[in-house]
Amino acid sequence: MKFTVADLLDQLSSTDSVETAVVAKILKLTNQSDKKSLDIAIDALSKMGVLTRRDGDVVALSRNDELIDARLRCSSKGFCFAIRDDGGDDIYIRDHQLNHAWNGDRVLVRITREGGRRRSPEGGVQCILERSTTSLLGQVERRDDQLFAVPLDDRMLTTIRLPDTATEHLSSEEPTAVVEVLVDRYPIAQHPAMGQVVRPLPLNGGPAADRDLLLTKAGLHQRPSPPRGSGKAPAAKGRVDFTDQPALLLRSWTDSSAPGLPAVHVEARDGGCRLWLHAPAVAERIIGSNALDLWLRERMEALCLGENWQPLLQPSLNAITNFVPGEEAEAVTVRMDISQEGVLTDWEFSLSTVKPAAFIGVAQLKALDERKPKSRSIPAALKGIKDHLGQLETLRFCESCLRKNEQSQGFVQLDLSPPQLESLADLRWADPISLRHRWIDAPVSSDPHSLLQPLIRAADRAWQLHREALKLPGITTQTGDPDPSPLTDVAKSAIALELPLELDEEGSPSAQELIGVFTESPHRRVLEQQLSHALPALNFVAVVPTSAPLDAEQTLPEDSLGDPGRAPDEILQKIPSTPWCCATMSYAHLVNQQILVSLLLDGKDRPTVRQKERLMLGRQGCEQNLSWALFTGSQNDKLKSLVSDRLVQRLNGRRRQVLELEKDLLSMVQARAAQPLVGLTTDGRISGVQSYGFFVEVGESRVEGLVHVSSLNDDWYEYRSRQNRLVGRKNKRVYQLGDTVQVRVIKVDVLRNQIDLEVDPVFFDKSTDQGEIPQSASIPFDNQ
């Protein structure tokens, strides 16, 4: 079919009926076979209770509360969960209830068994709304005289039947390549999935081949060509002139195709500081350009591939919106007043013209760190920015104030930066828009992006509060409360390591309490890694306020990070962020910037043309003097159309794809770095313990490998989950989370990012003085 069930449902509502001919026209179905497929889909969905068909040719959505919209997440072990879009409990799906759905598919699920204490509800897939996999990586195998592609991702619990022409791609015992398989037909009833080999992909073709392989795995290797042109030029009238302001460009990335970032300027003020953040004016170039906007909707995110980028914007627009020192450029600016406690006390948004003064890169910040406080000499790296050293110190003060306030409000900050491998290139540095992780990155003094992060978060929070006050739509970022059970498990690990932590009667400490205990521990990194897995995911949420004013109880606090007296969980839930500063990197930022620009360009700033005094719509508190409609009805409808649940679902789906791609790229670089260690012995730290063995971080790359329990053949080892340790029954030897061990690297499987380790034979456990430990086995593991 040329459409998915999700595409069909997007055209319908539960209140208004739509003729099937109109739906066919919207979906661009012209020939009879496509229209017949539409009729078959409508009939099937009507029988399921998803649609209501009236008078034969008119359809509408049914209010079927039994069917739940969810995304399927499968494990290589064979079990699957449906992750609900409404944030409810995950639903366990048994293999016979999958109905041919694959990992990542959007599905409608019906609950068959309610959940209980410490037990998930169970359900079955009733309908596949949208397939997430159109092509995949696999290896060709022959089974019963037929050829099949076995997916490389073992979360894909299926095989793809191939034509006989795929014989040339049959896998050998030591495969040198995998193949890309295009899915021609998804499985239905007793009929298996069918596909064809598109191309082989080498495993040892160098960094470029590795990137191509991972892009193919993520389904991001084929992206439509950009439309011509670079959008319209922003209007020169009505812009504030900041060209005399010596704004700085904080930039860690070195690749020329990397997205543009905001410029910042700061001045000390009343014990705190006044900060200007100038974001590249992307939205003004996009508004009214349907072809460019649709193309950007397909891309959604800029992709960092380490040594190069696939930017969100087309090359011409990406170049225009990159600020260059000494050159004038259009910007969207926010001026923020920040107290010495890190509280945002005032702000004002405006369209502007800027001329950044200088770049601040990694070399400059490193030189600044290494410079002695009373030294009169200026290092060579700092001579080009000597006039801005005072501003840099003020920026660091501003960053420190904002971070302290964030931590006081319960924001989780973890020190889990990636290894500083040259081969990671631009992936080594902090994500400036703070969407790569579910936590806030700990500050790194030599990373300009680390300095920029809290400044961007403050600007995003300012727009969140301003947007809420004016009741404008937007796309916000929200996160739920951490699950108490994983937090308790992390707490038990800390207690087993004899850290000073006391559990209350419920036994569930907060993430902030755990971080406070970890700070001075030598096991901090492994404990923070465990804690990171317990934190809930950050998602985009569509917000379209009603015209009714907020109640007094619903009014948000004036400061961007909340009242220090409020509970941390309340802060995270009730004051989300509306990101807008980096429209060069994310379509969510672009949508929010479009709404902000529409306010400044099209918002009605006086009740009538006879009124001479205008209201500054970008200034904090302007809503108190606003007694008229900001926009016409058509303008309001246009703004609301920018934000939809369907768009947010796609944004969240693409965000997961990008994060998985970055994770795979990091894992492959780490595995490549570990290949020279095969056969060598090295020190490592135990980073995880399971019943089947323990994981060890080794080498400069911090690559993680597994020592399988069957290789510990000097004794029978028991797994004690409460203490995160393996204990020998006879010799009482202990392998515990955080312990340092000597291991030998046995095998590196770059394709699956799996490292096989064994405890080195000459390693002695001094605590038990057991002498030599003979080890020999090497067992592959599943790191999914």
Side-chain angles (χ1 to χ4, degrees), residues 559-577:
D559 63 279
S560 71
L561 297 178
D563 182 354
R566 298 176 67 193
D569 289 344
E570 188 179 6
I571 295 295
L572 292 174
Q573 288 295 325
K574 295 199 174 180
I575 310 183
S577 172

Side-chain angles (χ1 to χ4, degrees), residues 61-89:
L61 284 175
S62 297
R63 298 183 182 275
N64 192 335
D65 297 331
E66 295 181 358
L67 297 177
I68 299 169
D69 199 332
R71 178 178 54 87
L72 202 62
R73 184 179 66 195
C74 295
S75 162
S76 58
K77 307 301 181 188
F79 53 84
C80 299
F81 284 90
I83 313 302
R84 298 173 58 155
D85 287 346
D86 59 10
D89 292 338

Side-chain angles (χ1 to χ4, degrees), residues 103 109 113 143 193 280 325 375 468 496:
N103 179 59
V109 176
R113 182 177 179 179
R143 299 179 181 178
S375 175
E468 287 279 1

